[in-house]
């Protein structure tokens, strides 16, 4: 393992200091939601205690301060993902909300009967169902890029699927089941050759890799704060300004208008056109603190360490008889999903929980991918930079004991 100092990092996360059932908590479910460093908790508390006032409305001191912090948070996000302008950074309540915003707004303007939208077999439900609903509303068709037995996207199938009816390609940056980093630049290049815009679901991607939306050249990039060590209820839709300009608002209400009359309402400029109602300004400030935190630690080393810890987890699990890891074993980023012959994932997760090990089980919000691999559910561990090799060892030992209980060896 590299020299990343996870001991110091762990001290920043109060949730990791606790015991469950009298045992030290081993939190291996960060892909579902990450724990929060103290500085993020402090920001949220401090905002509630001292700085709370509704933004973009009143002229009083607190309102001005709060608005300034919210807009600074937008700038922090812009820099973090290297967007050209803050107009391209829309705050939403999360990845799911950002994709639904697009499905309604982009869908309203750009999708009609006979059009096609392409997703992949490895998508999270959040990047399938909004498009399915849109296709039903508009009489469009959802096309699916299959994955190969190693879980990789079949690029020639994608090339064959894109045609003059294709209106959008929607792909995860990193799969939340397989930990595979999709070849996003290649995907974008291919789609753009046909004039097709690309939405990248960055819910996992933004956590484990530096994100540069200009370098990736994607048209939309979405992510959730809560997986990036920030509070829940805040997320981001990045959109290319020229595209966002053309799209109609999704939700109407306060803050998204320039002027309202019964004869005609005009809308605010970007990005507020897409932020109807009171925004989650405290969440946005929490997200900015999380990003500041990430930029203050040696982030590249943290990413490398996560990669090593994931590889170590795969190696340790691979020695267990009857255990199957899904998707190519290396490189894997952030998540390892597996099944054990003769063991129901839920039984295993329940026993592991009593040992203090928190992991995810079930269809992992990716039922089509479960079907592709012929299983109804999997177990998933998702180590973050605050986990240790010793925790992986304890988890694997507990897994072996539980397996013995369940199948006798
Ligand atoms: N896409 C991916 C790849 C995810 O991992 C998740 C969260 N599990 C989502 C979308 C949905 O994120 P949220 O629930 O925060 O909207």
């Amino acid at each position: 393992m590299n020299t990343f100092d996870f001991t110091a990092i762990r001290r920043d996360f109060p949730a990791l200091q606790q015991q469950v059932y009298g045992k030290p908590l081993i939190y291996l479910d960060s892909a579902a939601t990450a724990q929060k460093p103290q500085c993020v908790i402090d920001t949220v508390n401090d905002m509630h205690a001292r700085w709370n006032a509704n933004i973009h409305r009143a002229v009083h001191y607190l309102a001005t301060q709060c608005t300034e912090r919210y807009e600074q948070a937008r700038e922090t996000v812009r820099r973090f993902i290297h967007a050209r302008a803050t107009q391209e950074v829309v705050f939403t309540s999360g990845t799911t909300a950002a994709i639904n915003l697009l499905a309604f707004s982009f869908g309203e303007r750009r999708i009609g009967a006979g059009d096609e939208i392409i997703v992949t077999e490895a998508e999270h439900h959040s990047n399938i169902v909004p498009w399915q609903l849109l296709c039903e509303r508009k009489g469009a068709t959802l096309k699916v890029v299959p994955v190969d037995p190693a879980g990789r996207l079949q690029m020639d199938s994608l090339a064959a699927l894109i045609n003059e009816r294709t209106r959008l390609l929607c792909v995860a940056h990193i799969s939340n089941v397989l930990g595979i980093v999709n070849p996003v630049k290649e995907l974008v290049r291919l789609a753009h050759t046909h004039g097709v815009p690309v939405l990248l679901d960055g819910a996992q991607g933004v956590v484990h890799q530096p994100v540069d939306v200009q370098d990736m050249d994607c048209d939309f990039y979405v992510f959730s704060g809560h997986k990036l060590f920030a509070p829940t209820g805040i997320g981001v839709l990045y959109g290319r300004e020229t595209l966002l300009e053309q799209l109609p608002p999704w939700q109407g209400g306060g803050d998204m208008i320039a002027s309202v009359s019964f004869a005609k309402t005009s809308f605010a400029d970007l990005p507020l056109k897409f932020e109807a109602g009171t925004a989650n300004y405290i969440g946005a400030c929490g997200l900015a603190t999380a990003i500041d935190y990430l930029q203050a630690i040696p982030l590249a080393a943290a990413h490398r360490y996560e990669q090593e810890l994931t590889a170590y987890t795969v190696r340790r699990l691979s020695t267990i008889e009857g255990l199957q890891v899904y998707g190519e074993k290396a490189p894997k980023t952030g998540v390892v999903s597996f099944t054990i012959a003769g063991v129901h994932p839920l039984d295993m997760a329940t026993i592991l929980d009593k040992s203090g090990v928190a992991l995810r089980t079930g269809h992992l919000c990716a039922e089509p991918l479960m079907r592709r691999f012929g299983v109804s559910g999997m177990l998933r561990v998702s180590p973050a930079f605050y986990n240790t090799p010793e925790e992986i060892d304890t988890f694997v030992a507990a897994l072996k004991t539980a397996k013995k209980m369940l199948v006798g060896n």
Side-chain angles (χ1 to χ4, degrees), residues 49-177:
R50 275 225 51 205
W51 301 108
N52 178 50
N54 209 329
I55 54 168
H56 295 149
R57 288 160 169 82
V59 295
H60 61 76
Y61 177 77
L62 279 187
T64 321
Q65 286 288 323
C66 210
T67 301
E68 219 166 84
R69 282 160 190 246
Y70 181 68
E71 291 306 332
Q72 263 167 20
R74 200 189 302 278
E75 168 60 16
T76 301
V77 171
R78 183 202 69 72
R79 260 188 283 114
F80 189 58
I81 62 172
H82 197 219
R84 281 171 207 85
T86 48
Q87 283 80 348
E88 300 184 315
V89 177
V90 176
F91 282 120
T92 67
S93 64
T95 304
T96 305
I99 296 175
N100 277 279
L101 189 165
L102 277 181
F104 276 87
S105 176
F106 183 93
E108 186 58 38
R109 185 59 43 95
R110 294 284 200 107
I111 305 294
D115 287 345
E116 295 179 359
I117 297 168
I118 301 179
V119 298
T120 88
E121 203 172 17
E123 295 312 303
H124 188 282
H125 295 162
S126 294
N127 206 19
I128 298 174
V129 184
W131 305 118
Q132 235 167 7
L133 291 168
L134 170 63
C135 286
E136 272 170 28
R137 287 197 302 275
K138 295 286 187 167
T141 308
L142 197 66
K143 297 279 177 172
V144 183
V145 187
V147 299
D148 69 16
R152 287 180 295 252
L153 291 186
Q154 296 191 1
M155 293 298 282
D156 15 334
S157 302
L158 171 60
L161 280 180
I162 298 184
N163 61 43
E164 71 290 346
R165 291 182 299 278
T166 311
R167 296 289 170 263
L168 185 66
L169 170 63
C170 310
V171 187
H173 183 182
I174 296 182
S175 158
N176 68 305
V177 176

Side-chain angles (χ1 to χ4, degrees), residues 285-300:
C285 293
L287 175 58
T289 301
I291 291 173
D292 288 343
Y293 174 81
L294 290 173
Q295 291 182 324
I297 66 170
L299 190 56

Side-chain angles (χ1 to χ4, degrees), residues 245-307:
E245 284 286 6
Q246 296 165 22
L247 301 184
W250 172 31
Q251 295 182 317
D255 226 19
M256 54 74 74
I257 52 91
S259 159
V260 177
S261 77
F262 287 114
K264 180 159 177 60
T265 289
S266 55
F267 304 117
D269 291 334
L270 288 175
L272 298 188
K273 178 171 82 172
F274 293 111
E275 294 183 2
T278 296
N280 182 2
Y281 47 88
I282 295 184
C285 293
L287 175 58
T289 301
I291 291 173
D292 288 343
Y293 174 81
L294 290 173
Q295 291 182 324
I297 66 170
L299 190 56
H303 285 155
R304 260 196 320 277
Y305 172 68
E306 275 174 355
Q307 194 97 29

Side-chain angles (χ1 to χ4, degrees), residues 324 326 339 362-363 367 369-378:
Q324 185 179 352
Y326 291 89
T339 53
H363 54 52
E367 281 196 55
L369 194 60
M370 297 297 125
R371 227 160 273 132
R372 161 69 179 82
F373 286 110
V375 296
S376 60
M378 295 178 186

